[in-house]
Amino acid sequence: GGGGGGGGGGGGNRHDPDGFSARGHPLMDGRRKNRRRGWQPQAYTEESLRYSAAEEDQPPGWVTCFMVVVSVALLGTSAYFWSESMGGEREKAVSEYTHMMSNWTKHRLEMAHTNFSVSAVNRVSPPGIYMDQDIRPDVYRDEEANAGLPDYDPLRYRLDGATGSLFPTVNYTMPGGHPNEYATITLNALYTPPSAAAAAAGDGSAGAGAGAVVSSMTTQPIPLWTRQVVHAATPAPAQKCPGQQHGVYINGMCEVYHRLSTICVQVELDPTDNSWSLYTRTSNPASYGCDMKVNRGYIGVIWELYGIPALPLP
């Protein structure tokens, strides 16, 4: 009986060869814990070689699908609000434009009762050369194909092919020259108010009757030509500068010249004294031009590229 009890006790302390008890708990035997076993080769299968620790960090498939759906939803929402903001900006611009055009009928009548002429300081004295009325349709630059824009009857005054008497002969100093030739234009206006015009027609008088107002508007000095130094196109800059950029190849750079092509100004009538003046759109005193340029205001002049013949290289 005692032996059996001893055997049972011995069975309770039985160790397995791998250092674990029969109950699966690590042994706390100091002697076995400190015993160093020699290295034994391990057998790796193909499946074990495919294992990567990074696989444990990969999210489940449903998380990936959820993130894709959220991303698409956010993109759609962003596109929606962007289109709404752009649409709001256009609606605001169209509203302002419509409000401005609502007064065009009155302004057009004022222009129709005015004779405009052009003179040049120190060259042609007023009244100078008279301008012709132009009622051709305006050309829009609208990505929405004029959607929502009101119709109107245009009227402008223009002078095509100005004679040489208005401008001096252009003498280019190139290469290396700087614009030193300018023209100062004066726009003269003879305005006959509708009431005065009707009175003049009633009594058979001709020309400017009582109440006609003469006014003049002078531009700032306008360069007759410009010079711009830019990098020459490569490769073969010596050939591409005159051939493609229509410039002069000097000291590794390309000098491009332009000459004055068009002058356009906006005017307004002061109802208090019936005088015309240049209509400035911003605080810049030269912002009376017709062509809006981003970050440059309203430009009143346009220069066209002046093709310089290729010069022999030194």
Side-chain angles (χ1 to χ4, degrees), residues 187-213:
L187 189 64
N188 309 287
L190 175 62
Y191 174 61
T192 304
S195 57
D203 61 15
S205 61
V213 179

PDB file of all heavy atoms in Angstrom, residues 187-213:
ATOM      1  N   LEU A 187      -8.604 111.410 -76.276  1.00  0.00           N
ATOM      2  CA  LEU A 187      -9.918 111.081 -76.814  1.00  0.00           C
ATOM      3  C   LEU A 187     -10.831 112.277 -76.573  1.00  0.00           C
ATOM      4  O   LEU A 187     -11.046 112.701 -75.441  1.00  0.00           O
ATOM      5  CB  LEU A 187     -10.471 109.833 -76.128  1.00  0.00           C
ATOM      6  CG  LEU A 187     -11.740 109.217 -76.711  1.00  0.00           C
ATOM      7  CD1 LEU A 187     -11.503 108.707 -78.124  1.00  0.00           C
ATOM      8  CD2 LEU A 187     -12.232 108.082 -75.818  1.00  0.00           C
ATOM      9  N   ASN A 188     -11.341 112.835 -77.654  1.00  0.00           N
ATOM     10  CA  ASN A 188     -12.199 114.015 -77.581  1.00  0.00           C
ATOM     11  C   ASN A 188     -13.649 113.604 -77.779  1.00  0.00           C
ATOM     12  O   ASN A 188     -13.958 112.743 -78.613  1.00  0.00           O
ATOM     13  CB  ASN A 188     -11.797 115.037 -78.651  1.00  0.00           C
ATOM     14  CG  ASN A 188     -10.301 115.339 -78.604  1.00  0.00           C
ATOM     15  OD1 ASN A 188      -9.816 116.010 -77.709  1.00  0.00           O
ATOM     16  ND2 ASN A 188      -9.570 114.808 -79.585  1.00  0.00           N
ATOM     17  N   ALA A 189     -14.541 114.215 -77.018  1.00  0.00           N
ATOM     18  CA  ALA A 189     -15.962 113.870 -77.076  1.00  0.00           C
ATOM     19  C   ALA A 189     -16.819 115.124 -77.172  1.00  0.00           C
ATOM     20  O   ALA A 189     -16.606 116.092 -76.424  1.00  0.00           O
ATOM     21  CB  ALA A 189     -16.360 113.063 -75.842  1.00  0.00           C
ATOM     22  N   LEU A 190     -17.747 115.101 -78.088  1.00  0.00           N
ATOM     23  CA  LEU A 190     -18.736 116.162 -78.228  1.00  0.00           C
ATOM     24  C   LEU A 190     -20.105 115.543 -77.966  1.00  0.00           C
ATOM     25  O   LEU A 190     -20.633 114.813 -78.797  1.00  0.00           O
ATOM     26  CB  LEU A 190     -18.686 116.763 -79.635  1.00  0.00           C
ATOM     27  CG  LEU A 190     -19.763 117.809 -79.962  1.00  0.00           C
ATOM     28  CD1 LEU A 190     -19.639 119.023 -79.056  1.00  0.00           C
ATOM     29  CD2 LEU A 190     -19.685 118.226 -81.433  1.00  0.00           C
ATOM     30  N   TYR A 191     -20.624 115.840 -76.795  1.00  0.00           N
ATOM     31  CA  TYR A 191     -21.888 115.223 -76.365  1.00  0.00           C
ATOM     32  C   TYR A 191     -23.028 116.235 -76.464  1.00  0.00           C
ATOM     33  O   TYR A 191     -22.946 117.340 -75.916  1.00  0.00           O
ATOM     34  CB  TYR A 191     -21.768 114.718 -74.930  1.00  0.00           C
ATOM     35  CG  TYR A 191     -23.064 114.200 -74.344  1.00  0.00           C
ATOM     36  CD1 TYR A 191     -23.723 113.112 -74.914  1.00  0.00           C
ATOM     37  CD2 TYR A 191     -23.629 114.810 -73.221  1.00  0.00           C
ATOM     38  CE1 TYR A 191     -24.916 112.632 -74.383  1.00  0.00           C
ATOM     39  CE2 TYR A 191     -24.817 114.322 -72.670  1.00  0.00           C
ATOM     40  CZ  TYR A 191     -25.452 113.245 -73.258  1.00  0.00           C
ATOM     41  OH  TYR A 191     -26.636 112.768 -72.735  1.00  0.00           O
ATOM     42  N   THR A 192     -24.075 115.816 -77.161  1.00  0.00           N
ATOM     43  CA  THR A 192     -25.283 116.619 -77.280  1.00  0.00           C
ATOM     44  C   THR A 192     -26.408 115.893 -76.564  1.00  0.00           C
ATOM     45  O   THR A 192     -26.858 114.841 -77.041  1.00  0.00           O
ATOM     46  CB  THR A 192     -25.665 116.848 -78.751  1.00  0.00           C
ATOM     47  OG1 THR A 192     -24.557 117.446 -79.445  1.00  0.00           O
ATOM     48  CG2 THR A 192     -26.887 117.757 -78.847  1.00  0.00           C
ATOM     49  N   PRO A 193     -26.841 116.372 -75.431  1.00  0.00           N
ATOM     50  CA  PRO A 193     -27.901 115.682 -74.694  1.00  0.00           C
ATOM     51  C   PRO A 193     -29.148 115.501 -75.569  1.00  0.00           C
ATOM     52  O   PRO A 193     -29.409 116.309 -76.459  1.00  0.00           O
ATOM     53  CB  PRO A 193     -28.178 116.619 -73.513  1.00  0.00           C
ATOM     54  CG  PRO A 193     -26.919 117.408 -73.362  1.00  0.00           C
ATOM     55  CD  PRO A 193     -26.367 117.570 -74.740  1.00  0.00           C
ATOM     56  N   PRO A 194     -29.886 114.428 -75.325  1.00  0.00           N
ATOM     57  CA  PRO A 194     -31.092 114.188 -76.137  1.00  0.00           C
ATOM     58  C   PRO A 194     -32.045 115.372 -76.155  1.00  0.00           C
ATOM     59  O   PRO A 194     -32.646 115.683 -77.191  1.00  0.00           O
ATOM     60  CB  PRO A 194     -31.719 112.965 -75.463  1.00  0.00           C
ATOM     61  CG  PRO A 194     -30.580 112.258 -74.821  1.00  0.00           C
ATOM     62  CD  PRO A 194     -29.647 113.336 -74.374  1.00  0.00           C
ATOM     63  N   SER A 195     -32.202 116.070 -75.041  1.00  0.00           N
ATOM     64  CA  SER A 195     -33.109 117.218 -75.015  1.00  0.00           C
ATOM     65  C   SER A 195     -32.617 118.331 -75.926  1.00  0.00           C
ATOM     66  O   SER A 195     -33.385 118.933 -76.673  1.00  0.00           O
ATOM     67  CB  SER A 195     -33.252 117.733 -73.582  1.00  0.00           C
ATOM     68  OG  SER A 195     -31.973 118.078 -73.052  1.00  0.00           O
ATOM     69  N   ALA A 196     -31.279 118.575 -75.889  1.00  0.00           N
ATOM     70  CA  ALA A 196     -30.727 119.613 -76.757  1.00  0.00           C
ATOM     71  C   ALA A 196     -30.795 119.197 -78.211  1.00  0.00           C
ATOM     72  O   ALA A 196     -31.033 120.015 -79.105  1.00  0.00           O
ATOM     73  CB  ALA A 196     -29.286 119.908 -76.350  1.00  0.00           C
ATOM     74  N   ALA A 197     -30.593 117.916 -78.480  1.00  0.00           N
ATOM     75  CA  ALA A 197     -30.676 117.428 -79.855  1.00  0.00           C
ATOM     76  C   ALA A 197     -32.090 117.579 -80.397  1.00  0.00           C
ATOM     77  O   ALA A 197     -32.294 117.959 -81.554  1.00  0.00           O
ATOM     78  CB  ALA A 197     -30.228 115.967 -79.915  1.00  0.00           C
ATOM     79  N   ALA A 198     -33.079 117.294 -79.561  1.00  0.00           N
ATOM     80  CA  ALA A 198     -34.461 117.428 -79.991  1.00  0.00           C
ATOM     81  C   ALA A 198     -34.805 118.887 -80.251  1.00  0.00           C
ATOM     82  O   ALA A 198     -35.498 119.216 -81.220  1.00  0.00           O
ATOM     83  CB  ALA A 198     -35.389 116.851 -78.933  1.00  0.00           C
ATOM     84  N   ALA A 199     -34.300 119.776 -79.407  1.00  0.00           N
ATOM     85  CA  ALA A 199     -34.558 121.196 -79.608  1.00  0.00           C
ATOM     86  C   ALA A 199     -33.910 121.697 -80.886  1.00  0.00           C
ATOM     87  O   ALA A 199     -34.494 122.473 -81.648  1.00  0.00           O
ATOM     88  CB  ALA A 199     -34.048 121.985 -78.403  1.00  0.00           C
ATOM     89  N   ALA A 200     -32.672 121.219 -81.129  1.00  0.00           N
ATOM     90  CA  ALA A 200     -31.984 121.636 -82.348  1.00  0.00           C
ATOM     91  C   ALA A 200     -32.708 121.138 -83.589  1.00  0.00           C
ATOM     92  O   ALA A 200     -32.810 121.837 -84.605  1.00  0.00           O
ATOM     93  CB  ALA A 200     -30.545 121.131 -82.322  1.00  0.00           C
ATOM     94  N   ALA A 201     -33.238 119.922 -83.521  1.00  0.00           N
ATOM     95  CA  ALA A 201     -33.967 119.377 -84.664  1.00  0.00           C
ATOM     96  C   ALA A 201     -35.271 120.132 -84.877  1.00  0.00           C
ATOM     97  O   ALA A 201     -35.738 120.303 -86.006  1.00  0.00           O
ATOM     98  CB  ALA A 201     -34.244 117.895 -84.443  1.00  0.00           C
ATOM     99  N   GLY A 202     -35.866 120.626 -83.791  1.00  0.00           N
ATOM    100  CA  GLY A 202     -37.138 121.318 -83.903  1.00  0.00           C
ATOM    101  C   GLY A 202     -37.013 122.667 -84.557  1.00  0.00           C
ATOM    102  O   GLY A 202     -37.904 123.071 -85.328  1.00  0.00           O
ATOM    103  N   ASP A 203     -35.889 123.377 -84.297  1.00  0.00           N
ATOM    104  CA  ASP A 203     -35.755 124.707 -84.895  1.00  0.00           C
ATOM    105  C   ASP A 203     -34.911 124.704 -86.149  1.00  0.00           C
ATOM    106  O   ASP A 203     -34.578 125.762 -86.687  1.00  0.00           O
ATOM    107  CB  ASP A 203     -35.175 125.697 -83.875  1.00  0.00           C
ATOM    108  CG  ASP A 203     -33.789 125.285 -83.395  1.00  0.00           C
ATOM    109  OD1 ASP A 203     -33.162 124.422 -84.035  1.00  0.00           O
ATOM    110  OD2 ASP A 203     -33.336 125.829 -82.364  1.00  0.00           O
ATOM    111  N   GLY A 204     -34.550 123.506 -86.609  1.00  0.00           N
ATOM    112  CA  GLY A 204     -33.837 123.402 -87.874  1.00  0.00           C
ATOM    113  C   GLY A 204     -32.361 123.699 -87.787  1.00  0.00           C
ATOM    114  O   GLY A 204     -31.685 123.770 -88.814  1.00  0.00           O
ATOM    115  N   SER A 205     -31.807 123.885 -86.593  1.00  0.00           N
ATOM    116  CA  SER A 205     -30.387 124.150 -86.453  1.00  0.00           C
ATOM    117  C   SER A 205     -29.586 122.887 -86.686  1.00  0.00           C
ATOM    118  O   SER A 205     -30.086 121.774 -86.539  1.00  0.00           O
ATOM    119  CB  SER A 205     -30.077 124.723 -85.060  1.00  0.00           C
ATOM    120  OG  SER A 205     -30.444 123.775 -84.066  1.00  0.00           O
ATOM    121  N   ALA A 206     -28.341 123.040 -87.023  1.00  0.00           N
ATOM    122  CA  ALA A 206     -27.474 121.901 -87.293  1.00  0.00           C
ATOM    123  C   ALA A 206     -26.242 121.987 -86.413  1.00  0.00           C
ATOM    124  O   ALA A 206     -25.903 123.043 -85.884  1.00  0.00           O
ATOM    125  CB  ALA A 206     -27.067 121.862 -88.768  1.00  0.00           C
ATOM    126  N   GLY A 207     -25.564 120.854 -86.305  1.00  0.00           N
ATOM    127  CA  GLY A 207     -24.343 120.807 -85.527  1.00  0.00           C
ATOM    128  C   GLY A 207     -24.645 120.834 -84.049  1.00  0.00           C
ATOM    129  O   GLY A 207     -25.736 120.511 -83.599  1.00  0.00           O
ATOM    130  N   ALA A 208     -23.648 121.262 -83.285  1.00  0.00           N
ATOM    131  CA  ALA A 208     -23.780 121.275 -81.831  1.00  0.00           C
ATOM    132  C   ALA A 208     -24.579 122.498 -81.424  1.00  0.00           C
ATOM    133  O   ALA A 208     -24.147 123.632 -81.576  1.00  0.00           O
ATOM    134  CB  ALA A 208     -22.407 121.289 -81.169  1.00  0.00           C
ATOM    135  N   GLY A 209     -25.752 122.226 -80.922  1.00  0.00           N
ATOM    136  CA  GLY A 209     -26.611 123.321 -80.502  1.00  0.00           C
ATOM    137  C   GLY A 209     -26.370 123.667 -79.053  1.00  0.00           C
ATOM    138  O   GLY A 209     -25.382 123.275 -78.438  1.00  0.00           O
ATOM    139  N   ALA A 210     -27.270 124.420 -78.485  1.00  0.00           N
ATOM    140  CA  ALA A 210     -27.157 124.804 -77.088  1.00  0.00           C
ATOM    141  C   ALA A 210     -27.188 123.558 -76.209  1.00  0.00           C
ATOM    142  O   ALA A 210     -27.962 122.636 -76.444  1.00  0.00           O
ATOM    143  CB  ALA A 210     -28.294 125.749 -76.714  1.00  0.00           C
ATOM    144  N   GLY A 211     -26.336 123.536 -75.203  1.00  0.00           N
ATOM    145  CA  GLY A 211     -26.296 122.409 -74.289  1.00  0.00           C
ATOM    146  C   GLY A 211     -25.268 121.367 -74.656  1.00  0.00           C
ATOM    147  O   GLY A 211     -25.047 120.432 -73.889  1.00  0.00           O
ATOM    148  N   ALA A 212     -24.616 121.463 -75.805  1.00  0.00           N
ATOM    149  CA  ALA A 212     -23.585 120.502 -76.185  1.00  0.00           C
ATOM    150  C   ALA A 212     -22.355 120.701 -75.312  1.00  0.00           C
ATOM    151  O   ALA A 212     -21.982 121.831 -74.981  1.00  0.00           O
ATOM    152  CB  ALA A 212     -23.219 120.647 -77.651  1.00  0.00           C
ATOM    153  N   VAL A 213     -21.738 119.593 -74.935  1.00  0.00           N
ATOM    154  CA  VAL A 213     -20.591 119.636 -74.028  1.00  0.00           C
ATOM    155  C   VAL A 213     -19.391 118.983 -74.698  1.00  0.00           C
ATOM    156  O   VAL A 213     -19.492 117.874 -75.248  1.00  0.00           O
ATOM    157  CB  VAL A 213     -20.903 118.917 -72.703  1.00  0.00           C
ATOM    158  CG1 VAL A 213     -19.691 118.942 -71.785  1.00  0.00           C
ATOM    159  CG2 VAL A 213     -22.102 119.562 -72.015  1.00  0.00           C
TER     160      VAL A 213
END
